[in-house]
Amino acid sequence: MNYRTLGKTGFDISEISLGTWQLGGKWGTDFDEKLAAETLDTAIEGGVNFIDTADVYKGTESETAVGKAIKRADNRIYVATKCGRQINPHISENYTPETLRVYVEDSLRRLDVDTIDLIQLHCPPTQVYYRPEIFGEFEKLKDEGKILNLGVSIEKVEEGIKALEYENVTSIQVIYNMFRQRPHEKLFPMAKDKNVGIIVRVPLASGLLTGKFSKDESFGEKDHRNFNREGDFFDVGETFAGIPFEKGVEAVERLKNKLPDDTNLVHLALRWVLMRDEVSCVIPGASSVEHVESNLQASEIGDVSQETMDIIDKIYESDIKPFVHQRW
């Protein structure tokens, strides 16, 4: 495993870390505590020392499982969690310092820690980024020893750019992959100038970039890849990275046809993200031990060749960019 510094937090974290939206089973399935523990332990044994969770993943079960796992670990594990998505209706007016403080304290109890390494605002409405009192509350929580660092998880590049105005923002979590390339144009260089870490989520575009889907693929009733394709429940950019599913499958097939037959698309997709030195880590999700083991192998392969980078860029420009580039 290779390690990179997470911006001004100073944390040296595994370049391939772990996202836990699917921890304990696939999207929409019941939480399997034993599977969650095995998944977490496999990641940690493989060199992962940074785990990203949230207070709404699998109800609250993900945070609880992560808290237990870090106690079993022999080495220091950095934990990032998120708050704000419990707010309903999810509008700026319902974001208050008092409400967010309660969420942080609840996460502290579930994780069973004295201090949260990194707390992140969980994709708040854009208007929240224009409210200094929200960001100021986290400075108070830091002074009280309840958190070490504040980060933001964003939907839009513009939100990340606005967040960079707050000195206490230490990291930005953003969707970035071979089919969502806009963040590296402006946001990444600006974050680097501010020494703000970049955490990349949805690197496989909800599984689209595994290359295993066909146009008639079916997903479970409670799987967001089934019910959120039009953004009916949350930002559509979280589902297949906002790419119309059929168009995405076509583009992936074109990509596969231009690459050597033995190309592992998962490893290529993860390595592609890590070609950017502004990226501190990528956090692919895993609903099984096998997913973790596969993801970790991407840390062992070499850089993506310029020829392959050019192939990816051409397909992005022709097949994907018109659908996603200016939206996020």
Side-chain angles (χ1 to χ4, degrees), residues 50-93:
F50 180 82
I51 299 172
D52 177 82
T53 186
D55 60 6
V56 291
Y57 289 170
K58 295 285 183 170
T60 59
E61 298 284 1
S62 176
E63 277 191 329
T64 301
V66 169
K68 292 177 180 177
I70 63 176
K71 286 181 169 52
R72 294 193 298 270
D74 294 328
N75 56 308
R76 170 76 155 99
I77 306 298
Y78 298 100
V79 176
T81 191
K82 299 187 281 293
C83 64
R85 291 301 304 192
Q86 294 186 63
I87 293 172
N88 186 23
H90 191 241
I91 57 176
S92 175
E93 290 80 358

Side-chain angles (χ1 to χ4, degrees), residues 114-146:
D114 295 326
T115 306
I116 295 171
D117 296 316
L118 175 66
I119 186 74
Q120 302 159 100
L121 286 170
H122 196 173
C123 299
T126 301
Q127 295 89 338
V128 170
Y129 293 93
Y130 293 82
R131 297 178 54 195
E133 76 276 13
I134 297 298
F135 292 82
E137 185 65 20
F138 290 94
E139 197 62 26
K140 296 176 184 176
L141 288 163
K142 182 178 179 180
D143 290 342
E144 295 166 17
K146 294 180 178 179

Side-chain angles (χ1 to χ4, degrees), residues 138-166:
F138 290 94
E139 197 62 26
K140 296 176 184 176
L141 288 163
K142 182 178 179 180
D143 290 342
E144 295 166 17
K146 294 180 178 179
I147 67 169
L148 289 180
N149 297 282
L150 170 67
V152 294
S153 184
I154 65 171
E155 299 289 4
K156 301 176 181 178
V157 163
E158 288 76 13
E159 293 168 348
I161 291 172
K162 183 63 181 177
L164 289 172
E165 295 183 11
Y166 297 96

